[in-house]
Amino acid sequence: MELDARKRKVLEAIVIDYIATAEPVGSRTIARKYNLGVSSATIRNEMADLEEMGLIEQPHTSAGRVPSDTGYRYYVDCIMEKKDLAYEAKKLIRDSFQIKIKQLEDLIQLSLKILSSMTSYTSLVLAPQPDKSTLQLIQLMLVEPGKALIVIITEGGRIENRIVDIPESITKADLDIVSQILNLNFKGLPIKDWDKTLLSSVRSQLIKQHKVVSLALEFLDMLLREEKDDKVYLAGALNIFNQPEFRDVSKVRSILELLEDEDALSNILKEEMEDGIQVRIGGENKYEGIKNCSLITATYKLNGKTLGTIGLLGPTRMHYAHAISILEFITDTLSITLKRL
Amino acid sequence: MELDARKRKVLEAIVIDYIATAEPVGSRTIARKYNLGVSSATIRNEMADLEEMGLIEQPHTSAGRVPSDTGYRYYVDCIMEKKDLAYEAKKLIRDSFQIKIKQLEDLIQLSLKILSSMTSYTSLVLAPQPDKSTLQLIQLMLVEPGKALIVIITEGGRIENRIVDIPESITKADLDIVSQILNLNFKGLPIKDWDKTLLSSVRSQLIKQHKVVSLALEFLDMLLREEKDDKVYLAGALNIFNQPEFRDVSKVRSILELLEDEDALSNILKEEMEDGIQVRIGGENKYEGIKNCSLITATYKLNGKTLGTIGLLGPTRMHYAHAISILEFITDTLSITLKRL
DNA sequence: TGTTAGCACTCTCCTTCGTTGAGTGCTAAT
DNA sequence: ATTAGCACTCAACGAAGGAGAGTGCTAACA
């Protein structure tokens, strides 16, 4: 779709004004506030054209115009200038990440909080799936006779643990041996690469601790089974209510329902695992409940490997340029910080 | 405050009807639906009396009556009959707890989900504070040269872990020694009982691993410092919107703000640490934002020791009898299940 | 041919005003 | 002490009417 310079200016004015005010934009407003050097009548003509192209629409006859999903799309793709984040904002983010954090989870929570407070939208993270991670350490320890703790650390810094019942005859030394052998065999291997030959060879090496090995493997198995429900974090869900278009409970309901449904969120975010910034505007979203929302997503990485998705959910009337630059900077900072973990 | 039998009946009718319908209750309604054997005029007189006593109020002149906070209080204390939970409900709860769960956190989440879905109110838990717990195991392990994982298990089944940087010279054997000695000295002791003499004696035993010990102690120190911000879990926050009195966003806002503020929630729940069921009705709540809500709380225990608080937050127009019996049964079941952990 | 002023028209929003209905308080009769 | 009856009050609802914002169209203009 090709637009001449003036039509672009008009569309831009409508998008910008509507994003700022949440009110349909009239031709007079544009003529007054955005000096395009033409009268409101001319703008009216342009607007009629833009409407015919489906880029803007009228809520009702005597109202101003509002960008349509396609209008926003055109704005995001062809008009909007990606502006670099202000220095102070960058500094604020960088400083926040300076705190000594050693836990992946805390880092994610931090990112979310910053993201939400700086954009006043809802922010979400789909956290690394264990099966995409690589085992860094597995350790079994005796809690008390008959009980052992299994701890697993994956490369992404994710720590999983579980207490299991074991035979009372198993000693601390036994567990150390098991830990040692499991580490020897599985360290550095992505969990999904473990195969049966390897498993049975390990099992045969540890006949005495057979029961313990089984339990440990059972736990790992469970982690694999859990693969589908990755953790989803979110922050700033309340921010939705700051948007005038969502002042009515009935309109937020479907969104809130989504936000309480981890599985649905996880599925939505999982589709956005592609690298780089993704923008889903209004009806472009597959999930019914957020057809009047926009979702901007990005991925964060460790050593070039994509670990998870981080997203911003707001109204279609979203401040795209701003949101994108913040999201981009935060995922970058997060990725860098992860490397230091 | 003493009420004659008929006044009690009238108050009861008003409370029950208002809880069910959320509409102010008129004298005619009571005469029709709750056969007290007297005419609406008589009930009108009784209502005038009840209003003078401050037990009920009129939203406006020509409306019916609504229970006041004191009215609800009287109802809860003196009129309401504590009914036992239906067998099916009990079975449902017991069955849900049958799932093999080994993690305290999952158990809490489960309780919350059941609670919310059975009451359609918002449920909260203030989880055990580490300083009230007793150390069951501390273990340090080598993740890779220069990095160690510290794991701490407390008696309540709470697991805390942290990765720390250590000197590269420290070996796995060193860490094992440190773990062993720390366990020897601190196992079974409530964290808050550790004193300086003990600490320095441990330190002098482990001169070579001095740096590691320091880090471990630093971590423990941090846990102590963290004492104030205990974990708060919640579920069913969305349920608020099912209440007709909260269909307006502006009225839910303050509640939602509270629900997003872990510290505030924690403080509120911390005040309800007394044993047994506590009911805070409307204005009895100290936090401004929930002055038109009621909060029912109970504590869950392990071996007679109170571990945490579990609460139900709903409108003052809450189905008290039902809510209380469910909450009571769930905390009991939770406490029993904890013992099996 | 593109731009603009002018004007009639449309539609929402707000206010006003009367009507309805639920519910009350009081009074007088039982 | 209870109750029937009645006048009164007030929120809720809807109709009516203006105000205001914005449009589309037409005709004049550069």
Side-chain angles (χ1 to χ4, degrees), chain B residues 66-315:
Chain B
V66 159
S68 67
D69 287 354
T70 2
Y72 283 120
R73 169 54 63 199
Y74 190 92
Y75 171 76
V76 168
D77 287 349
C78 310
I79 302 181
M80 179 184 83
E81 284 167 27
K82 212 160 111 185
K83 66 172 176 194
D84 216 36
L85 212 53
Y87 174 75
E88 301 85 51
K90 283 190 178 173
K91 185 166 157 44
L92 183 67
I93 295 172
R94 269 204 221 94
D95 287 355
S96 308
F97 273 93
Q98 281 313 313
I99 318 168
K100 283 254 179 265
I101 292 184
K102 291 280 170 189
Q103 298 278 71
L104 175 60
E105 185 171 330
D106 296 340
L107 236 120
I108 288 173
Q109 300 273 19
L110 174 68
S111 309
L112 285 176
K113 272 192 188 156
I114 300 174
L115 209 48
S116 280
S117 72
M118 290 186 75
T119 60
S120 77
Y121 301 127
T122 302
S123 48
L124 340 146
V125 162
L126 177 68
Q129 304 161 276
D131 77 288
K132 289 212 174 157
S133 301
T134 297
L135 183 70
Q136 208 178 358
L137 183 76
I138 177 166
Q139 176 86 29
L140 290 83
M141 353 177 196
L142 199 62
V143 178
E144 58 182 52
K147 276 192 182 165
L149 173 71
I150 307 179
V151 179
I152 289 176
I153 310 177
T154 61
E155 205 179 60
R158 184 166 168 152
I159 303 169
E160 298 277 350
N161 46 40
R162 174 81 21 127
I163 295 179
V164 294
D165 291 320
I166 54 170
E168 302 242 338
S169 59
I170 296 290
T171 63
K172 187 178 175 313
D174 289 327
L175 291 179
D176 282 348
I177 294 173
V178 173
S179 304
Q180 207 179 330
I181 293 197
L182 288 177
N183 271 311
L184 224 59
N185 283 285
F186 297 118
K187 204 172 197 169
L189 271 183
I191 293 180
K192 62 175 174 182
D193 286 357
W194 300 354
D195 60 15
K196 286 193 179 162
T197 4
L198 191 56
L199 288 178
S200 56
S201 108
V202 167
R203 224 180 269 257
S204 59
Q205 278 177 68
L206 294 162
I207 296 173
K208 190 204 157 191
Q209 299 87 354
H210 163 259
K211 169 78 180 157
V212 178
V213 175
S214 292
L215 282 167
L217 294 178
E218 197 179 284
F219 175 44
L220 294 170
D221 227 52
M222 203 212 52
L223 282 182
L224 289 171
R225 258 189 289 113
E226 265 181 1
E227 149 186 3
K228 268 164 218 151
D229 43 354
D230 313 316
K231 266 204 177 168
V232 175
Y233 304 84
L234 78 164
L238 237 165
N239 287 346
I240 295 178
F241 294 105
N242 293 327
Q243 307 300 336
E245 52 263 68
F246 295 134
R247 71 180 191 285
D248 186 7
V249 170
S250 66
K251 283 172 190 155
V252 219
R253 168 146 247 141
S254 62
I255 303 172
L256 292 177
E257 258 162 30
L258 172 65
L259 294 182
E260 275 205 344
D261 183 351
E262 263 197 37
D263 290 344
L265 278 180
S266 160
N267 286 329
I268 289 174
L269 288 173
K270 213 173 285 168
E271 293 197 356
E272 310 296 338
M273 273 300 221
E274 284 171 66
D275 276 11
I277 299 273
Q278 304 286 323
V279 184
R280 292 262 170 280
I281 298 167
E284 296 170 10
N285 286 295
K286 278 172 198 158
Y287 183 83
E288 202 50 49
I290 52 168
K291 291 252 191 244
N292 48 2
C293 290
S294 284
L295 178 67
I296 307 181
T297 54
T299 55
Y300 59 95
K301 306 177 187 199
L302 181 61
N303 304 329
K305 230 196 296 177
T306 300
L307 282 187
T309 310
I310 182 161
L312 260 182
L313 183 71

Side-chain angles (χ1 to χ4, degrees), chain A residues 189-245:
Chain A
L189 271 182
I191 292 179
K192 61 175 173 183
D193 287 357
W194 301 353
D195 58 15
K196 287 196 178 161
T197 4
L198 192 56
L199 288 177
S200 55
S201 108
V202 166
R203 225 180 267 257
S204 60
Q205 278 177 67
L206 294 162
I207 296 172
K208 190 204 156 190
Q209 300 86 353
H210 163 261
K211 169 77 179 157
V212 179
V213 175
S214 294
L215 283 167
L217 294 178
E218 196 180 285
F219 175 43
L220 296 169
D221 227 52
M222 203 212 53
L223 282 183
L224 289 170
R225 259 189 288 113
E226 265 179 3
E227 148 188 5
K228 269 163 216 154
D229 41 355
D230 313 317
K231 263 201 179 171
V232 175
Y233 304 85
L234 78 164
L238 235 165
N239 287 347
I240 296 178
F241 294 105
N242 293 326
Q243 307 300 337
E245 51 263 69

Side-chain angles (χ1 to χ4, degrees), chain A residues 20-39:
Chain A
T21 65
E23 297 289 334
V25 190
S27 52
R28 258 176 62 85
T29 313
I30 297 179
R32 241 187 300 118
K33 293 213 302 199
Y34 308 81
N35 41 347
L36 307 192
V38 290
S39 79

Side-chain angles (χ1 to χ4, degrees), chain A residues 24 57-64:
Chain A
E57 31 197 45
Q58 249 179 321
H60 56 262
T61 327
S62 70

